[in-house]
Amino acid sequence: MTTVTPDPYIFTSDWLPSDERFLPPLANGLLGWRVFNNVMHMGGVYNGQGGQCHRADIPCPLAVQLVLGDAGVHTYSLDTRTGVFSQIVQTVNMSVSLSFYAHRSSSHILVMEVLVVRQGAAEESLTVGLKSSFKPCSEDIAFEAAEDYRGGRHIQGKTIIPEVPGGPLCSIHLIWTPLPSSVTLLPGQRQFRWVFVAVVADSEEHAKGFFDDALELMTSGDLFPSHCRVWAELWAGCGLEVSGSLPLSRALIGCLFYLLGAFPPLRKTSFRFGGVSPGGLSNGRRGQDYWGHVFWDQDTWMYPGIALFYPQLAKAVLEYRVQTVEGARDNAKQQGYKGLKFPWESAVTGKEMCPEDIIGQQEIHINGDVGMAFQNYLYLTQDLSVFKEGRGSKVVWGIADYWVSRVTWSEEEQCYHIRGVIPPDEYYSNVDNSVYTNAVAKCSLQFAVELAERLSHTAPPEWQRIADNLKIPFDSDANYHPEFDGYKKGQPVKQADVVLLGYPLGLPMTPQVRKNDLEVYAAVTDPKGPAMTWGMFALGWLELGEADKAEDQLSKCFNNIQGPFQVWSEETDGSGTVNFLTGMGGFLQAVLFGYTGFRVQRNSLDFAPLLPKDITELRVRGVTYLGNKMDWLVRAQDVCVTLREDVASSTDAEPLEIVMKGSGARIPLKPGQSVTIPREPGRIRKLESAFSCWPL
């Protein structure tokens, strides 16, 4: 059975899942590994060309199982506070702990620790077997033995097939401390800890340097403490907890933990971030988990929740897209268009890696999804350096140029069309005027114009003209948005599509139209569809003040959570991608943006809190806006907002105020002080006396 601990951050069980895919993944933004597995992955390291490109398997020296002569009581625990997975075995004579973690500050290091503690008065030697499934070879990397280094074994190699013809191969160096077949607690010893590390890097110099770092940390006793300090810092800066539902709290904590593991460290790193794929770094082998590619999932589903807590982590997503600009430019040229066409499935180069040509050609809403991520970052931070020195403007304007060349003018309807696409609902292909695709294209063009104004750049007039005249399908008789031209009410739908118009796109519509869209598509959406779908329906109902309907939808997401370690599957039956970060991101947004009503606007962070009846309190730690961090406590009748003093006093932080929508009351936020307001709509904005109260 699964043991529910009082601490919702610790997932404990006396059993392991029968399907090893649901063993907990450990990741640190560079390395990803599913515990006990003999394969790990490194961000940005792929093998194979085009649609066969996939994460390259790297053998994991820490693929170890305990072997004990005596029967014992086994407990398995994932401590999300520290990012450590442990197996603890209690026998008559000893307690044995086998622990693993992906080091959170030294990202090239994986660690295994074995702790043996003597039980009772017996003084004989106690031996624990270590059964390894590690083999120093890979189907994706041509490894060869290299000279041992400081007691560590060393292999080196290169991937076999480049991502694109004539492209570079990835170099990999793996150094690890040798693992014995057993460890022994000697007579007279009450306990002893053995520590083993594996280091992965892209060159011999780097691998040896990181191995040196690991040995130094081991010698100083700071290997584990330094890892824990970073996780403590991460959790201090973000958090989402509810009172009234332990399963919901645990689900939210699990989502945040696994998502944070997919992002790089808070401080600048020596490695190039390789983006976030649907199954994270631990998954993505050949033919599995979307091959480890990066989709719109990163920009639309995983990014927004992380960005609201840690814009500096979200910035890594933008930098990843900037790195792939040349590939996106080539994609557009190959289709006969201008600007940038970001790939539906991306690896390192930005060239299209989708195994199915039609999807790579037609699911072009990815361009608008990338643009939305850049817009969200600017509105949260007002940081223009990403668009100047960081070349983000090239991305935003390149996307706009693509839409200009992709649209066609309809003389009959006197508006622009986008023809021959696949919408987010992948049950349909080659459709015209997907409402989501057109709406997100409209957003892209509008933001390109806005950014040009901010950077004193002359925007081509066609950006605004097309944005103003791009068809957004609407059925005025039924008062709802058809999914595309020719869509008939009642046709089946795979996943959230039209319901995304309200959030995250913010397309203006009446509450009745929003309600009609939700009702029409809830009735026909595949109940076995991807996990993120129901969170978006829930969020839509929360917008309309229908908390009970929202809970009905949100509860469906729990069918995708696989015990005992809160690992999500893409489908409710456990099939599809595992450690499905896309579903986690959608679920996290449903609560983070649904219960609070947070909406990131051009000049404000709006809020409209609403809690379902079973939730008595919602705590949101570390909401970041204009360089400030805030803690929110939402209760039945009021909301308490605390502006953190240590962050608000920094030079980058703008002074803030709350403006209540109903009364127009303005309340300055002072560092280190809490403000209690009614649980009513309002907004956070920069403190400026010249601002009008409502709306902006």
Side-chain angles (χ1 to χ4, degrees), residues 202-216:
D202 60 0
S203 71
E204 181 176 359
E205 178 186 2
H206 289 157
K208 289 180 176 179
F210 292 122
F211 194 73
D212 289 341
D213 293 343
L215 295 179
E216 183 178 339

Side-chain angles (χ1 to χ4, degrees), residues 151-303:
R153 300 286 187 264
H154 181 193
I155 58 175
Q156 63 185 12
K158 291 186 176 183
T159 50
I160 298 169
I161 303 173
E163 182 177 318
V164 295
L169 298 171
C170 296
S171 294
I172 292 294
H173 286 254
L174 174 61
I175 304 178
W176 70 97
T177 49
L179 271 75
S181 59
S182 64
V183 294
T184 300
L185 189 66
L186 299 175
Q189 290 182 317
R190 298 306 303 171
Q191 67 177 47
F192 197 84
R193 186 186 304 273
W194 293 263
V195 181
F196 307 92
V197 298
V199 167
V200 188
D202 60 0
S203 71
E204 181 176 359
E205 178 186 2
H206 289 157
K208 289 180 176 179
F210 292 122
F211 194 73
D212 289 341
D213 293 343
L215 295 179
E216 183 178 339
L217 288 168
M218 291 166 64
T219 301
S220 67
D222 199 32
L223 184 65
F224 182 57
S226 61
H227 165 80
C228 291
R229 284 196 298 272
V230 176
W231 267 113
E233 182 183 7
L234 279 169
W235 284 120
C238 71
L240 195 61
E241 300 166 3
V242 298
S243 299
S245 174
L246 180 59
L248 178 56
S249 264
R250 291 168 65 81
L252 292 168
I253 290 165
C255 289
L256 261 177
F257 171 73
Y258 290 123
L259 283 165
L260 287 169
F263 283 79
L266 289 171
R267 287 161 183 77
K268 190 171 180 61
T269 65
S270 59
F271 63 87
R272 197 181 203 188
F273 179 58
V276 187
S277 60
L281 283 162
S282 304
N283 301 305
R285 305 182 71 179
R286 180 183 178 91
Q288 299 177 13
D289 307 306
Y290 296 113
W291 312 74
H293 296 160
V294 178
F295 288 70
W296 75 309
D297 305 46
Q298 169 190 256
D299 310 85
T300 301
W301 299 104
M302 307 164 198
Y303 172 94

Side-chain angles (χ1 to χ4, degrees), residues 396-418:
V396 175
W397 296 338
I399 289 171
D401 287 340
Y402 176 80
W403 293 125
V404 168
S405 66
R406 186 63 173 79
V407 300
T408 56
W409 176 254
S410 169
E411 285 292 339
E412 180 182 357
E413 297 190 59
Q414 288 294 294
C415 61
Y416 289 99
H417 287 194
I418 301 179

Side-chain angles (χ1 to χ4, degrees), residues 68-207:
L68 285 84
D70 298 332
V73 177
H74 293 246
T75 304
Y76 306 92
S77 178
L78 176 65
D79 185 345
T80 64
R81 291 187 187 277
T82 60
V84 175
F85 173 81
S86 299
Q87 176 186 5
I88 302 172
V89 185
Q90 298 280 356
T91 72
V92 173
N93 296 318
M94 59 182 162
S95 170
V96 183
S97 299
L98 177 66
S99 300
F100 304 104
Y101 55 95
H103 205 280
R104 201 61 183 92
S105 61
S106 298
S107 303
H108 293 78
I109 304 173
L110 287 183
V111 184
M112 181 182 84
E113 299 186 0
V114 182
L115 173 65
V116 180
V117 180
R118 191 181 298 277
Q119 304 289 331
E123 291 296 331
E124 72 272 15
S125 296
L126 299 174
T127 297
V128 176
L130 302 177
K131 182 181 179 181
S132 173
S133 60
F134 167 65
K135 295 180 180 178
C137 57
S138 167
E139 293 183 356
D140 296 317
I141 302 169
F143 277 117
E144 60 183 21
E147 185 177 352
D148 289 357
Y149 179 70
R150 297 189 66 183
R153 300 286 187 264
H154 181 193
I155 58 175
Q156 63 185 12
K158 291 186 176 183
T159 50
I160 298 169
I161 303 173
E163 182 177 318
V164 295
L169 298 171
C170 296
S171 294
I172 292 294
H173 286 254
L174 174 61
I175 304 178
W176 70 97
T177 49
L179 271 75
S181 59
S182 64
V183 294
T184 300
L185 189 66
L186 299 175
Q189 290 182 317
R190 298 306 303 171
Q191 67 177 47
F192 197 84
R193 186 186 304 273
W194 293 263
V195 181
F196 307 92
V197 298
V199 167
V200 188
D202 60 0
S203 71
E204 181 176 359
E205 178 186 2
H206 289 157

Side-chain angles (χ1 to χ4, degrees), residues 614-681:
D614 294 336
I615 304 302
T616 56
E617 289 184 347
L618 169 69
R619 298 176 183 273
V620 188
R621 297 192 313 275
V623 175
T624 304
Y625 184 61
L626 299 187
N628 298 275
K629 266 195 175 294
M630 297 171 280
D631 297 326
W632 288 65
L633 174 59
V634 181
R635 296 176 288 223
Q637 302 299 325
D638 58 25
V639 177
C640 180
V641 183
T642 304
L643 187 64
R644 293 192 182 181
E645 187 169 17
D646 54 339
V647 180
S649 60
S650 72
T651 56
D652 295 332
E654 297 281 1
L656 301 177
E657 66 177 355
I658 296 175
V659 181
M660 301 306 297
K661 181 177 182 179
S663 65
R666 294 168 53 180
I667 307 151
L669 289 174
K670 299 180 180 180
Q673 296 185 12
S674 299
V675 170
T676 300
I677 56 176
R679 203 186 76 183
E680 298 173 0

